[in-house]
Amino acid sequence: MQMPTVYLKPREEIRIRAGHPWIYDNEIARVAGSPEPGQEVAVLDASQAMVGCGFFSPASKIRVRIYSRAKARVPADKAFFVEAFASASAYRSRVLDPGTSCFRLAYGEADSLPGLIVDSFSGVSDSGPGRWLSVQFLGMGVERKKSLIVDALEESFSPNGIIERSDAPVRSMEGLEPSSALLRGEVPGSITIEENGCVFSIDLSAGQKTGWYLDQRDNRAAAARYARGSRVLDAFCNQGGFGINCLKGGASSVLALDSSPEALAAAALNARLNGFSERHSILEANAFDALRDLERTQEKFDLVILDPPAFAKSKQSVEPARRGYREINLRGMRLLKRGGILVTCSCSHWFDNTRFDAVLEEAAADCGRRFRILEERTQAKDHPIISGYAESRYLKCRILEML
């Protein structure tokens, strides 16, 4: 089948050639041919010079997602995906610490695989050791190529099983329904993985996202370095990753706070697996309410961790998100002893570094305190940040000492 062609309006190629992978509907002058949803298209600028190839999505304002910047038409066939996975794997081999057993293998547009997330988990199940892949197909292009992509993953990595977790709301913007299913092989109900010397039991079929938040792996290790002898509050604890890393680092106690009973049960199980149950307690509550209640009862901690879900999921939600981030950071700061450590995060691209840092300054001023910035951190290296593609830089993590 001949590849249809998308022609850009004058100067609309500048942002794309600078590295951005998305072409919006209002940037297109015309389309030659009748591309089907998810089909590959060639992209040409107004002078008819080749810009690249991408996946066409007529239901989305992001009309084309670039997967190749070659000067020729490149089909997204099995050979393309095998080569892309080899490149992504080679990069992780270079930048990850030796022995890192669980990592993001493919990070969508940042790996020239638009709309495709692949997380790799090596661990132990009741059947013994193995490697499993948890995959999200978030765009029409990779949805159309799903069977071919799974074939390429099997050929490239020989996993014990591949599970799909395409239940993210972003699929609706591409006209796609949520989808979760076992795609190949077998995936056990739970596997035990290792991270930073701790062990965690995770469920790839039921955990949030692809089963475990790999992007915070290095930040959890960083927080643990400040934990020795500390009373720790782990708010929005999810499955207990930050708190259990802190207990491994010598924390005297951890209070794990979350509104989800399932998350707290997982956190308690993970504390038990590491032999930390006596120093680990849980509190099921809305974090905003619980932080106020802890302040009202004059509780004090040596280390407070705030790792909330994304408050800003669109440009329109930035202002409500600002109020939410300000509130939790104000409460977290008030709960800290003088000299205490705040580890605070935001995982929303829309709430950028400038906004996040400004909120922290406001919160400190409102509670009459200052802070010393110990570390400014971002996502783990297996979630690469690409020039020209600001959306690839989403995770902010600040480690602050309250003065």
Side-chain angles (χ1 to χ4, degrees), residues 80-258:
F80 166 81
F81 285 102
V82 167
E83 183 177 347
F85 291 143
S87 176
S89 182
Y91 162 73
R92 272 84 182 165
S93 295
R94 291 197 306 272
V95 302
L96 295 180
D97 291 338
T100 302
S101 57
C102 302
F103 53 89
R104 177 146 294 179
L105 180 57
Y107 177 38
E109 281 83 340
D111 281 304
S112 297
L113 291 163
L116 181 66
I117 302 296
V118 182
D119 284 349
S120 175
F121 296 92
S122 293
V124 179
S125 73
D126 290 341
S127 301
R131 183 184 191 181
W132 299 271
L133 303 180
S134 183
V135 187
Q136 290 183 309
F137 300 89
L138 303 179
M140 184 61 76
V142 290
E143 176 72 17
R144 179 186 174 105
K145 303 281 186 179
K146 184 182 295 185
S147 179
L148 181 152
I149 290 169
V150 173
D151 288 344
L153 287 170
E154 276 200 313
E155 178 179 316
S156 300
F157 305 110
S158 302
N160 295 70
I162 303 174
I163 191 167
E164 178 182 4
R165 292 295 310 278
S166 303
D167 46 11
V170 70
R171 271 176 65 93
S172 65
M173 299 179 185
E174 296 273 307
L176 297 169
E177 296 292 326
S179 178
S180 296
L182 177 66
L183 299 179
R184 297 287 168 87
E186 296 181 355
V187 175
S190 66
I191 64 172
T192 301
I193 63 169
E194 186 275 339
E195 177 188 280
N196 303 327
C198 305
V199 294
F200 297 92
S201 176
I202 65 171
D203 184 346
L204 297 184
S205 65
Q208 292 190 6
K209 302 288 187 176
T210 60
W212 184 250
Y213 287 109
L214 295 166
D215 53 358
Q216 290 279 30
R217 178 183 56 249
D218 297 342
N219 295 332
R220 289 189 281 260
R225 292 195 287 270
Y226 298 91
R228 181 166 298 280
S230 294
R231 185 186 185 209
V232 177
L233 173 63
D234 182 9
F236 307 95
C237 72
N238 195 252
Q239 298 174 74
F242 268 104
I244 290 164
N245 270 266
C246 286
L247 288 166
K248 180 74 173 179
S252 60
S253 68
V254 167
L255 174 60
L257 166 63
D258 206 285

Side-chain angles (χ1 to χ4, degrees), residues 18 51 57 62 142 175 186 200 228 288 315 354-355 362 364 383:
V51 175
S57 183
I62 303 173
V142 290
E186 296 181 355
F200 297 92
R228 181 166 298 280
F288 288 87
K315 190 174 183 179
T354 300
R355 288 189 175 96
E362 291 172 15
H383 296 62

Side-chain angles (χ1 to χ4, degrees), residues 30-77:
R30 64 187 178 92
V31 179
S34 301
E36 298 175 4
Q39 187 178 347
E40 300 102 303
V41 294
V43 179
L44 276 61
D45 65 18
S47 66
Q48 301 195 24
M50 190 76 177
V51 175
C53 295
F55 296 123
F56 189 77
S57 183
S60 174
K61 290 187 71 66
I62 303 173
R63 194 55 47 91
V64 180
R65 296 173 184 264
I66 298 292
Y67 64 81
S68 171
R69 296 174 184 274
K71 299 305 180 184
R73 298 179 185 232
V74 177
D77 54 16

